[in-house]
Amino acid sequence: MTSRSVSRILEFGKLALTASFACALLAPSAASAQKPYSVQTRWTVGGDGGWDYLTADAGAHRLYVTHGTRVEVLDTNSGKVVGNIQGLQGIHGVALDNAGKYGYISDGRAGAVVVFDRASLKTLASIPVGTNPDGIVFEPVTKTVWAFNGRSSDVSVIDTATRKVVATIALPGKPEFPVADGKGTIFDNIETKNSIVRLDAKTKTLTATWPLTNCESPSGLAMDQAGRRLFTVCDGKTMNVVDANSGKVLATPAIGDGPDAAAYDPAHKLAFASNGDGTLTVVDASKNTFPVLQNVATQKGARTMSLDTATGRIYLVTAEFGPKPAATATNPRPRPAILPGSFTVLVVGR
């Protein structure tokens, strides 16, 4: 073998080693690259009536869906309805305690919060609150439930041990969706004032009101508890990212039209907005520019959602609609009729 041949073999070996090393560096990046989100399946629930918020219980593999005058309870492994809670009048949201025992339903039309057993799905109590309770949240430090009353513009604080209202706090306008930080503070959107309020669960007082930027009628609200950031969705195709310590608006990423709910995935540092125009906006919250990664095609009307933290899947609900009726003097903004039996849960994942 000539010296030139040996030199070529050594050179080839260096190239092969360099290529192998480069592949090793690239492999983790390729492996960690995430696929885009899409609608993976649909679960037909059926039945009549409108709907509002839904709540995923990741530990129990259950999904609570408010549906007119009842709560539909689904198994998130199979998508099948495993039970329901009936005898309600016109419901909005479901809050769950941190012990896995009880749930709390805001029955807006009844002006009450209904307590139910999560094992049997039997109702245990009905607690009178303000007018039209809508958003509802369990606060783990004080073990209280906060029912935000849309028409009386206040919040009823319920002691879960006695199942009685222990405080009523006036708010500066009509409240929407609340979120708790797990440390004794609650935040809530004020729809009619385009702002967020901060409340102290221990003293049961309102401690701050923060204006939002280019935000009309804020509705859904989510929180990055570790990073102390709030994500609120607004009409006008805007999300506000807010510092939960100072109230400063950090960014206003563009989202779809007609949003009603927000969610945050702490495992992947992603924020979501579910929009009535049939899109789900995905925002990268790991970057301080908060770029939009994707607008997932869902289905028209799918504007409320819940995130399953165990699987990373997002559940949305909607239905098929008939033609929109003509406006009248008594009903200037008519809604299209919901086609019977078309109520559906959409499962989005990647």
Side-chain angles (χ1 to χ4, degrees):
M1 184 179 292
T2 66
S3 60
R4 181 177 294 180
S5 298
V6 172
S7 176
R8 285 179 177 175
I9 290 171
L10 290 174
E11 185 177 353
F12 178 79
K14 288 179 181 178
L15 289 172
L17 183 61
T18 302
S20 177
F21 182 66
C23 288
L25 288 176
L26 290 172
S29 177
S32 62
Q34 296 285 353
K35 295 180 180 179
Y37 284 90
S38 64
V39 177
Q40 295 182 329
T41 189
R42 287 173 164 84
W43 298 331
T44 301
V45 178
D48 300 326
W51 61 88
D52 207 342
Y53 283 94
L54 57 162
T55 301
D57 182 352
H61 308 291
R62 281 187 168 184
L63 181 67
Y64 297 88
V65 183
T66 60
H67 190 192
T69 59
R70 62 194 180 280
V71 177
E72 310 278 11
V73 186
L74 280 70
D75 182 323
T76 56
N77 290 325
S78 66
K80 296 185 181 301
V81 176
V82 296
N84 52 64
I85 304 165
Q86 300 192 42
L88 307 167
Q89 296 187 34
I91 55 179
H92 293 287
V94 176
L96 305 175
D97 70 5
N98 61 351
K101 291 184 177 180
Y102 303 115
Y104 304 85
I105 305 164
S106 54
D107 192 340
R109 193 165 293 173
V113 168
V114 176
V115 186
F116 69 93
D117 183 287
R118 286 158 67 179
S120 66
L121 301 181
K122 292 182 179 179
T123 57
L124 304 173
S126 180
I127 305 165
V129 289
T131 308
N132 190 33
D134 188 351
I136 187 167
V137 68
F138 174 81
E139 201 292 303
V141 174
T142 57
K143 299 191 184 305
T144 50
V145 168
W146 294 58
F148 287 80
N149 306 304
R151 291 205 183 97
S152 52
S153 295
D154 54 21
V155 55
S156 301
V157 185
I158 299 169
D159 181 345
T160 58
T162 62
R163 295 177 182 164
K164 292 182 178 180
V165 173
V166 293
T168 300
I169 306 166
L171 299 171
K174 181 180 180 293
E176 259 290 344
F177 201 76
V179 67
D181 72 349
K183 298 180 179 180
T185 301
I186 293 170
F187 303 90
D188 187 83
N189 283 327
I190 302 299
E191 182 183 26
T192 52
K193 297 295 183 179
N194 302 334
S195 60
I196 292 178
V197 292
R198 183 183 66 193
L199 300 125
D200 186 310
K202 294 179 181 178
T203 62
K204 302 177 183 61
T205 57
L206 190 152
T207 57
T209 301
W210 297 328
L212 297 168
T213 301
N214 298 325
C215 177
E216 293 293 328
S217 301
S219 51
L221 183 65
M223 185 175 189
D224 168 13
Q225 293 184 343
R228 303 294 299 171
R229 298 172 301 179
L230 299 163
F231 304 90
T232 181
V233 295
C234 320
D235 287 349
K237 303 181 180 181
T238 302
M239 172 187 284
N240 271 215
V241 184
V242 180
D243 185 308
N245 295 322
S246 67
K248 179 182 178 182
V249 176
L250 304 174
T252 57
I255 61 174
D257 193 23
D260 197 38
Y264 178 73
D265 182 347
H268 300 97
K269 292 183 168 54
L270 297 173
F272 302 90
S274 52
N275 313 305
D277 63 4
T279 62
L280 174 72
T281 305
V282 185
V283 175
D284 186 351
S286 70
K287 297 180 173 63
N288 57 15
T289 54
F290 299 93
V292 172
L293 297 179
Q294 192 180 354
N295 279 298
V296 186
T298 56
Q299 185 176 327
K300 189 173 181 180
R303 59 196 301 261
T304 61
M305 66 169 162
S306 184
L307 171 74
D308 188 328
T309 55
T311 64
R313 298 193 299 187
I314 299 107
Y315 306 108
L316 306 98
V317 288
T318 189
E320 298 290 341
F321 299 91
K324 188 175 181 178
T328 64
T330 56
N331 187 12
R333 293 184 177 180
R335 293 183 177 182
I338 300 167
L339 300 184
S342 66
F343 184 60
T344 300
V345 175
L346 281 66
V347 182
V348 172
R350 59 182 178 181

